[in-house]
């Protein structure tokens, strides 16, 4: 199951990834105006990382929580560093 995305008017849509690919997630990040709260098991997609940094630069409040269990910490290290250097608050969830 993927994230539920809010749309104007309060409607929700379900994004299932990887079946739907990252296009829907890219659109949500690109269209965000106020807040992005993102939790990921693994983030190894340069496009999503770049979109998060761009959203931060345009004033969107962002918080990212990565899964620390299993291999999440090692897979997410590059994204953790890139996002952190761009001023995005990034945390690792406890085991």
């Amino acid at each position: 199951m993927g994230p539920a995305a809010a749309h104007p008017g309060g409607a929700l849509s379900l994004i299932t990834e990887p079946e739907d690919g990252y296009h829907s997630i890219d659109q949500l990040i690109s269209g965000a105006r106020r807040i992005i709260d993102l939790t990921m098991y693994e983030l190894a997609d340069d496009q999503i990382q770049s979109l998060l940094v761009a959203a931060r630069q345009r004033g969107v409040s962002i918080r990212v929580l990565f899964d620390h269990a299993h291999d999440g910490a090692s897979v997410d290290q590059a994204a953790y560093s890139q996002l952190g250097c761009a001023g995005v608050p990034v945390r690792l969830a406890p085991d």
Side-chain angles (χ1 to χ4, degrees), residues 11-12 20 28 35 40-41 44 47 49 55 57-58 63 72 88:
L12 295 176
D20 289 346
L28 287 172
I35 299 170
M40 299 280 297
Y41 176 69
Q47 175 70 16
Q49 294 172 42
Q57 291 171 341
R58 67 176 187 271
R63 296 183 301 177
V88 175

Side-chain angles (χ1 to χ4, degrees), residues 3-15 23-25 27-29 31 34:
H7 294 281
L12 295 176
S13 79
L14 180 65
I15 300 169
H23 180 72
S24 297
I25 296 170
Q27 286 184 317
L28 287 172
I29 294 170
R34 294 186 306 142

